[in-house]
Amino acid sequence: MLRWPTALSAANPAVHRWAWVLTLCFFLVGDVITTAIGISTTGVTEVNAFLATQIASHGVGAMLLLKVVLLSGSYLVWRALPDEQAIAIPVGFAIVGVGVTGWNLVVIAIV
């Protein structure tokens, strides 16, 4: 069986720390900021129907609150899992965050 080098091991706390940093930068901050910029641009709308209604009713702060609640619950699950499985939580959020933030930037740039 092949194993990651020690520096990239799921048991390495630095790997988990960086995964959470990327999650916070892209899934939380990047997505919220680019969404706020996007929806203030003429012709750009939020495509997630649930988020669109929450943002229309309560502003972008509702999106931020929902993301904080989601990440808080996910953090608790992350703490309960063994390192080898737990790493999937922040890595998954980071991947989605990079993708969504990137897509938002493309939409803003085109408009």
Side-chain angles (χ1 to χ4, degrees):
M1 171 195 267
L2 296 174
R3 294 190 184 265
W4 285 100
T6 305
L8 296 177
S9 169
N12 185 343
V15 172
H16 286 260
R17 197 168 27 256
W18 278 106
W20 280 110
V21 166
L22 291 173
T23 293
L24 294 176
C25 288
F26 289 98
F27 183 81
L28 186 65
V29 177
D31 184 26
V32 171
I33 289 173
T34 57
T35 298
I37 293 168
I39 62 173
S40 68
T41 305
T42 304
V44 178
T45 59
E46 172 61 54
V47 295
N48 180 316
F50 176 74
L51 276 181
T53 58
Q54 296 305 311
I55 292 170
S57 299
H58 307 290
V60 177
M63 179 182 181
L64 179 62
L65 178 62
L66 288 168
K67 284 181 171 276
V68 167
V69 169
L70 176 65
L71 287 176
S72 297
S74 298
Y75 177 78
L76 294 175
V77 172
W78 172 79
R79 296 280 307 215
L81 291 173
D83 288 344
E84 291 76 20
Q85 288 87 29
I87 192 64
I89 292 173
V91 167
F93 279 121
I95 290 168
V96 169
V98 167
V100 170
T101 300
W103 177 255
N104 288 352
L105 289 172
V106 167
V107 170
I108 291 166
I110 290 172
V111 174

